[in-house]
Amino acid sequence: MDRERGGDELAEYAEFASEAVRAAGAILRERFGRPHDVRFKGTVDLVTEADRAAEALIAELIRERYPGHHLLGEEGARGAEAPSPFRWVVDPLDGTTNFAHNLPHFAVSIGLERQGEPVVGAVYDPLRDELFLGIRGGGATLNGARLRVSATDDLLRSLLVTGFSYDFARRELQADVWRQFLLRVQAVRQTGSAALNLCYVAAGRLDGYWERGIAPWDVSAGAVVLREAGGTLTDFAGGPFRSDDRVVLASNGHLHEAMLGLIEPFERGFLA
Ligand code: IPD
Ligand code: CA
Ligand code: CA
């Protein structure tokens, strides 16, 4: 009975998250391709007026519906301060650099964590109208159709993806790891959206993804989608994945050990 009620509760959160990513996605779709007000948060890390407008809308929806929940938004939105088992983790525009260059690949990502564990994830690509949804214990879907990771079990046949940090010093190390993969796999992509990378592995479009220097809002939602599609997530030492840990190794499961074997020697001692 408790478990049933828990399931219903998650389904309700998932419905809310789906509506919120669609509403924010409509803002991004409308603004895509127009001139933007671009501001720099770092040397190459930028933010546009669309990031801020989408986050403001999502934060308003969350605060209105779940005033007692915590909220962590990339652009600064916060929720309740009193203790709560729930935390919403929001990336209003994952793929900002693409968006600012009019490259049509980005998404809205909303995750819900319960006691630190990602339990609901909604990732919406507004240009392709693709809604990826994961509910812990309830499966993963793309526009309502069940998702399943690929069966690829040979690195040489695998199509992988990674991302590079906005921090140049970290890019040096990332480039060394990237080189290891390049010489052993079919191809390595770099799409510019961590959330979509995870969802694409969940959908079997890609076979694995790794990145160092990511934030909780990049991966919390996608992690649920991937896990529920049968995928595996860990840190770079093979330990449990945590959205706050800044690293993610995600795969269809079959390639996990092989990927870990390539990453680990480089990353040992550099997990942050
Ligand atoms: C970035 C994207 C990119 C990843 C970076 C993220 P943003 O998020 O997910 O793919 O490589 O690590 O910061 O800045 O576009 O929201
Ligand atoms: Ca992001
Ligand atoms: Ca973002």
Side-chain angles (χ1 to χ4, degrees), residues 22-267:
R22 281 187 184 283
I27 293 181
L28 304 185
R29 191 164 44 229
E30 194 193 296
R31 297 187 183 211
F32 181 66
R34 300 198 183 166
H36 301 297
D37 168 20
V38 177
R39 301 204 182 149
F40 285 85
K41 299 196 270 187
T43 324
V44 288
D45 186 5
L46 49 85
V47 59
T48 74
E49 85 296 339
D51 299 63
R52 290 192 295 267
E55 181 159 301
L57 173 68
I58 296 167
E60 193 184 318
L61 292 171
I62 292 174
R63 288 190 203 114
E64 191 182 300
R65 180 81 167 263
Y66 303 111
H69 287 190
H70 291 177
L71 163 63
L72 176 69
E74 176 174 11
E75 308 310 336
R78 297 293 178 268
E81 284 181 4
S84 166
F86 290 105
R87 175 172 84 156
W88 293 91
V89 185
V90 174
D91 193 334
L93 203 185
D94 185 52
T96 299
T97 307
N98 288 348
F99 183 87
H101 286 261
N102 299 330
L103 181 65
H105 188 79
F106 52 86
V108 182
S109 175
I110 300 182
L112 178 66
E113 298 177 354
R114 185 173 55 196
Q115 249 113 28
E117 191 66 37
V119 288
V120 168
V123 176
Y124 181 57
D125 173 344
L127 297 183
R128 296 186 181 87
D129 190 26
E130 289 192 326
L131 175 63
F132 297 88
L133 188 63
I135 305 175
R136 194 183 171 94
T141 53
L142 164 52
N143 292 346
R146 278 278 166 171
L147 289 180
R148 188 74 208 157
V149 291
S150 70
T152 311
D153 59 3
D154 179 358
L155 267 188
L156 258 185
R157 300 277 168 271
S158 70
L159 182 57
L160 304 183
V161 66
T162 189
F164 288 91
S165 168
Y166 293 125
D167 178 73
F168 284 1
R170 190 173 279 148
R171 281 186 187 179
E172 295 256 10
L173 178 63
Q174 288 175 314
D176 290 340
V177 180
W178 182 57
R179 190 167 191 282
Q180 295 305 307
F181 277 96
L182 270 186
L183 303 173
R184 291 172 176 84
V185 304
Q186 194 164 59
V188 183
R189 301 291 182 239
Q190 196 201 335
T191 69
S193 167
L196 287 176
N197 289 345
L198 287 168
C199 293
Y200 280 25
V201 178
R205 294 172 179 176
L206 295 166
D207 303 305
Y209 163 50
W210 82 94
E211 186 165 350
R212 181 177 197 272
I214 40 93
W217 45 78
D218 296 317
V219 290
S220 186
V224 187
V225 178
L226 177 58
R227 219 176 244 144
E228 289 297 323
T232 302
L233 286 138
T234 66
D235 66 16
F236 283 176
F241 164 81
R242 285 188 207 88
S243 70
D244 288 313
D245 278 354
R246 318 230 5 123
V247 293
V248 62
L249 171 57
S251 78
N252 62 7
H254 313 293
L255 295 168
H256 213 82
E257 281 305 312
M259 290 182 72
L260 199 54
L262 290 180
I263 291 172
E264 230 237 286
F266 284 86
E267 299 284 348

